[in-house]
Amino acid sequence: METPRKILVIEDEPSLAKLITRVLQEEGFSVGVAKDGEQGLIAALASPPSIAIIDVGLPTIDGFTVCKELRTRGLDIPVIMLTARDSIPDRVTGLDAGADDYIVKPFAFDELL
């Protein structure tokens, strides 16, 4: 049996984190959740996931900084920013920080998958 790919979700809204986790698990992924930027960064560095889904507006360390720090420390995993911040400057900041994609909330799960 193939080991499921591990996804780290860094999201501070508990109900959204739970929903994302459930949908990803139904698709066969192993999911870890961190509720703030500091926990997410520690989790990603301790046990690198196959992909990280990161909110921007996080407590302790914002998602842009988390993404930039992952890249600075050599973690070259795909990163999806998943955020309500929809301005062009925010999108550019996210991509410049090293994100591979930038999805704006509300979103369709088909788009995320």
Side-chain angles (χ1 to χ4, degrees):
M1 185 172 171
E2 183 179 317
T3 303
R5 291 169 291 171
K6 180 179 169 188
I7 297 179
L8 176 61
V9 176
I10 309 174
E11 171 62 58
D12 64 322
E13 173 53 46
S15 60
L16 181 56
K18 187 176 182 177
L19 180 60
I20 291 170
T21 297
R22 184 174 53 90
V23 169
L24 292 173
Q25 287 174 336
E26 288 173 359
E27 292 294 321
F29 296 99
S30 170
V31 182
V33 177
K35 59 184 174 187
D36 65 44
E38 184 177 14
Q39 287 181 359
L41 185 57
I42 290 168
L45 294 172
S47 179
S50 300
I51 187 169
I53 299 173
I54 307 174
D55 185 16
V56 171
L58 295 168
T60 66
I61 303 172
D62 70 66
F64 295 140
T65 304
V66 171
C67 185
K68 191 178 294 184
E69 190 64 26
L70 292 174
R71 298 303 187 222
T72 299
R73 294 188 186 207
L75 197 58
D76 191 29
I77 59 166
V79 172
I80 298 173
M81 304 303 292
L82 184 62
T83 179
R85 292 187 177 180
D86 64 352
S87 73
I88 297 299
D90 282 330
R91 292 174 194 238
V92 170
T93 299
L95 295 171
D96 283 348
D100 297 282
D101 202 354
Y102 194 99
I103 299 175
V104 177
K105 298 174 187 173
F107 62 96
F109 276 102
D110 284 345
E111 179 182 13
L112 180 61
L113 294 171

